Amino acid sequence: MRLPTLFILITVTIDAMGIGLILPVMPDLIAEVRGGTLAQAAAWGGVLSFAYAVMQFLCAPALGNLSDRFGRRPILLISMAVLALDYMVMSVAGTIWLLLIGRIIAGIAAGTHATGLAYMADISPPEKRAQNFGLISAGFGMGFILGPLVGGLLGGLDPRAPFIAAACLAAANFAFGYFVLPESLPQDRRRPFQILRANPIGGLIMIGKLPGIVFLLCVMLAYQTANFVYPAIWAYYTQAAFGWSTGMVGFSLAIYGVSIAIVQGGLIRPVLARLGEVRAVYFGLILNTACLVLYGLVGQAWMIWVLIPISACGALVAPAMQGVMSRAAGADQQGELQGVLSSISSLSMILSPVMMTQAFFWFTRDGADPFLPGAPFLVAAILMGLAFAIFATTHRGLAPAKDAA
């Protein structure tokens, strides 16, 4: 593997660790700085995720457009430096408001994922983009492995210790990228920065002019809003339903991350070769819907361990969808497209924590009838079914861009 590609994979892995690190320790960390019950901690966790996602939603299109103008390298390096700063802020947070500031900083710097995807689009022929996007997703899955493991192990010592470790990793990766990462976007494929396009609405309007892509963006929004139920609610759900400890929560998330990495790093290539991108999306959406229903209804912990590797197979939806949409964008729009997709992801992270934590709160609060910790997964199953319905009726309207190669 070439060093620049390795840097991209490490970058998205660290980006994903920022989510995974928080999940096992968030209930205890919020209880330490804020106090209250588990249901109240879940509500505050939704607020922190909301703040992170709002800033990512607002800033991702600007970062994508800046990378189309100035290149991928400076955006990736600056984002990584800011991320290291954010982890240091989180490591000393003693109040809920400082935690909130830390999440805001992270949201601003969260363009690493979108810009990393644009970098891979630059160096990949159209027919191999979905496969290489799978590598990015595998790196994201690896972050889900390492993040919960580090969060669970170090969080047992101190809820802030995982953030110190993550800050050191981000700083080290910045130094690594500074020396090994070349620019992937040549001068003749850059375009002027336009403020009207460097915001969620403007970017969506420009990308939305591509035939059929608006409906596919709606598919991604419904899919990601549903899929974000896992990081939004997992720690609270497993504690309420099965009494799991912080370490067990981290271990279960690590198993989920391993399963996703296997799917997106190994299985996605033969699956795409056999099914193609469109049928792979169909398969993943159906599987995801079924698994979410089962998560919502299971009553014994052993069933969770059976479901984890099965539900991870649904992770092939995102890279397959990105491959479908990337074919419709020109070479000078890949950063803009990934910025819009990042905003869609951020919008799902705005909507999902609020929806899922509120569903959890109402079905686990004192006097809740019925007491149903899995209620958020049933809400997510409805959204996943909606994504399937939209894709089934609209995906045929997409046409490849003439200069997509």
Side-chain angles (χ1 to χ4, degrees):
M1 181 182 295
R2 295 184 303 168
L3 290 179
T5 302
L6 179 60
F7 168 80
I8 297 297
L9 294 180
I10 293 174
T11 298
V12 297
T13 298
I14 293 175
D15 194 19
M17 283 182 65
I19 299 173
L21 275 171
I22 293 175
L23 299 182
V25 302
M26 188 57 74
D28 292 340
L29 184 59
I30 293 177
E32 178 181 322
V33 302
R34 183 68 174 75
T37 66
L38 182 63
Q40 292 170 333
W44 269 105
V47 171
L48 296 177
S49 296
F50 177 84
Y52 172 91
V54 166
M55 296 310 300
Q56 188 180 49
F57 175 73
L58 294 174
C59 296
L63 292 177
N65 277 269
L66 285 169
S67 77
D68 281 341
R69 170 62 181 90
F70 297 105
R72 318 301 184 199
R73 172 185 160 87
I75 302 303
L76 286 165
L77 292 179
I78 291 172
S79 296
M80 188 54 54
V82 174
L83 199 60
L85 174 63
D86 168 66
Y87 286 133
M88 290 305 300
V89 171
M90 295 288 286
S91 72
V92 298
T95 68
I96 195 69
W97 304 113
L98 195 53
L99 287 176
L100 182 61
I101 292 172
R103 288 293 81 196
I104 290 173
I105 294 173
I108 295 172
T112 51
H113 191 209
T115 309
L117 285 166
Y119 191 100
M120 294 299 286
D122 292 340
I123 64 175
S124 306
E127 65 275 10
K128 292 186 177 181
R129 281 178 184 163
Q131 296 179 7
N132 288 336
F133 289 157
L135 290 177
I136 297 292
S137 297
F140 203 80
M142 186 59 66
F144 250 92
I145 299 169
L146 297 176
L149 281 177
V150 173
L153 292 174
L154 297 182
L157 303 175
D158 188 290
R160 296 173 183 80
F163 301 106
I164 297 175
C168 294
L169 285 174
N173 194 47
F174 169 83
F176 176 56
Y178 183 84
F179 291 106
V180 306
L181 187 70
E183 181 54 60
S184 65
L185 188 66
Q187 291 288 343
D188 60 357
R189 290 171 59 184
R190 300 185 187 186
R191 58 178 176 79
F193 179 82
Q194 297 176 328
I195 192 65
L196 293 178
R197 301 170 72 150
N199 61 83
I201 303 302
L204 181 60
I205 290 173
M206 296 304 298
I207 291 297
K209 292 180 180 179
L210 301 174
I213 206 166
V214 169
F215 293 106
L216 296 186
L217 292 174
C218 291
V219 173
M220 288 294 283
L221 177 61
Y223 163 75
Q224 292 182 330
T225 302
N227 210 45
F228 200 76
V229 67
Y230 295 102
I233 212 68
W234 189 262
Y236 310 103
Y237 162 69
T238 51
Q239 283 193 27
F242 311 114
W244 284 6
S245 65
T246 297
M248 185 63 74
V249 171
F251 180 70
S252 65
L253 287 168
I255 295 298
Y256 184 68
V258 169
S259 302
I260 289 179
I262 291 173
V263 170
Q264 295 183 326
L267 295 182
I268 191 169
R269 292 174 182 267
V271 168
L272 287 175
R274 184 174 182 83
L275 297 181
E277 293 168 351
V278 171
R279 283 187 291 178
V281 173
Y282 277 125
F283 170 78
L285 291 175
I286 292 172
L287 180 64
N288 279 319
T289 302
C291 288
L292 287 168
V293 172
L294 293 173
Y295 274 120
L297 300 177
V298 296
Q300 299 184 39
W302 68 266
M303 298 178 182
I304 296 296
W305 299 109
V306 174
L307 277 173
I308 285 175
I310 297 174
S311 61
C313 292
L316 57 84
V317 171
M321 282 290 295
Q322 288 165 343
V324 170
M325 288 186 286
S326 180
R327 291 175 180 268
D332 63 346
Q333 285 185 291
Q334 294 298 320
E336 185 172 39
L337 172 63
Q338 298 304 331
V340 170
L341 288 175
S342 184
S343 283
I344 293 293
S345 178
S346 301
L347 183 57
S348 73
M349 293 170 64
I350 294 171
L351 299 174
S352 189
V354 174
M355 295 170 59
M356 305 310 174
T357 56
Q358 285 300 309
F360 180 85
F361 173 79
W362 286 106
F363 283 91
T364 61
R365 75 190 193 283
D366 292 340
D369 186 20
F371 180 81
L372 187 61
F377 291 96
L378 300 179
V379 174
I382 296 173
L383 291 171
M384 195 69 72
L386 177 62
F388 175 86
I390 299 173
F391 185 76
T393 56
T394 63
H395 79 272
R396 295 176 182 85
L398 195 68
K402 294 180 179 180
D403 63 340

